[in-house]
Amino acid sequence: MTEHTSELDQAMAERLEPWTARLGADRKAYFHHVLRVLRAADLLFARSGGPGPLPSSREEFRTAATFHDLGIWAACTFDYLEPSCALAGDWLIAHDREDIAELVAEMIRDHHRVRPAGGANDPVELFRRADLIDVTFGARRYGLPYAAYSALTRRYPDSGFHFKLVELTVRRALIHPLSPLPMIRW
């Protein structure tokens, strides 16, 4: 990951740099997932004709994307939403952006919510949809053409991210059969 094709790629690589050791062999997979989520949010936003800057240029999206699943590695748990929120909150405090801490925490907590979290351009719902597009390999696209998602996966290959999710899910189900997916919210 020495070559970055855009300002966004470089900015997100820098944000994830402190977590290189914790992410270990999964660093590239997570980095690409973060970028696919941000780019999917941009595509959904542009498709809806929403006003304002693209999500990937907004601090709340960059921060939520960076930290939304990071608790898996940082806290060594598949029950990772609160650890991920704490990491994001600490980062926002360190960068004098406490003003968006509540929104970012909501984006992280609800990114695996089963039901909609608001209107299509609500930041929480837009982030939820973008993550779901990637988690489902583009099977759920909210009107986004499959070719658009396919282009994202060519630009940012999976690199084992989905295999890691399956591995973590199976491990969690064996240890906690009554709570195999603790991050799912209704």
Side-chain angles (χ1 to χ4, degrees), residues 89-109:
D90 291 346
W91 192 91
L92 289 167
I93 289 168
H95 291 86
D96 296 319
R97 287 305 312 261
E98 298 98 324
D99 60 308
I100 60 170
E102 188 174 315
L103 173 58
V104 169
E106 189 178 358
M107 291 168 77
I108 292 171
R109 280 190 193 104

Side-chain angles (χ1 to χ4, degrees), residues 23-43:
L23 287 163
D26 299 323
R27 186 183 189 282
K28 185 175 184 179
Y30 187 64
F31 175 63
H32 284 183
H33 169 62
V34 165
L35 290 167
R36 286 191 306 270
V37 168
L38 285 169
R39 298 292 187 182
D42 285 351
L43 292 170

Side-chain angles (χ1 to χ4, degrees), residues 146-162:
Y146 184 77
Y149 177 72
S150 183
L152 288 179
T153 62
R154 282 192 306 277
R155 184 171 180 183
Y156 306 111
D158 184 77
S159 302
F161 182 75
H162 287 86

Side-chain angles (χ1 to χ4, degrees), residues 22-148:
R22 283 286 198 168
L23 287 163
D26 299 323
R27 186 183 189 282
K28 185 175 184 179
Y30 187 64
F31 175 63
H32 284 183
H33 169 62
V34 165
L35 290 167
R36 286 191 306 270
V37 168
L38 285 169
R39 298 292 187 182
D42 285 351
L43 292 170
L44 289 171
F45 186 76
R47 182 172 168 77
S48 73
L54 289 173
S56 67
S57 69
R58 294 163 43 188
E59 186 59 48
E60 64 270 24
F61 280 90
R62 287 182 175 200
T63 304
T66 300
F67 295 101
H68 75 285
D69 294 334
L70 198 55
I72 293 170
W73 292 271
C76 300
T77 180
F78 205 43
D79 191 2
Y80 60 86
L81 294 179
E82 289 310 314
S84 295
C85 286
L87 293 170
D90 291 346
W91 192 91
L92 289 167
I93 289 168
H95 291 86
D96 296 319
R97 287 305 312 261
E98 298 98 324
D99 60 308
I100 60 170
E102 188 174 315
L103 173 58
V104 169
E106 189 178 358
M107 291 168 77
I108 292 171
R109 280 190 193 104
D110 284 349
H111 83 275
H112 288 303
R113 185 179 165 139
V114 174
R115 294 178 298 185
N121 283 328
D122 176 277
V124 178
E125 178 63 8
L126 187 55
F127 188 73
R128 183 188 77 83
R129 289 180 181 194
D131 185 71
L132 188 59
I133 288 170
D134 193 49
V135 168
T136 64
F137 280 112
R140 183 69 171 106
R141 295 186 308 280
Y142 299 96
L144 193 66
Y146 184 77

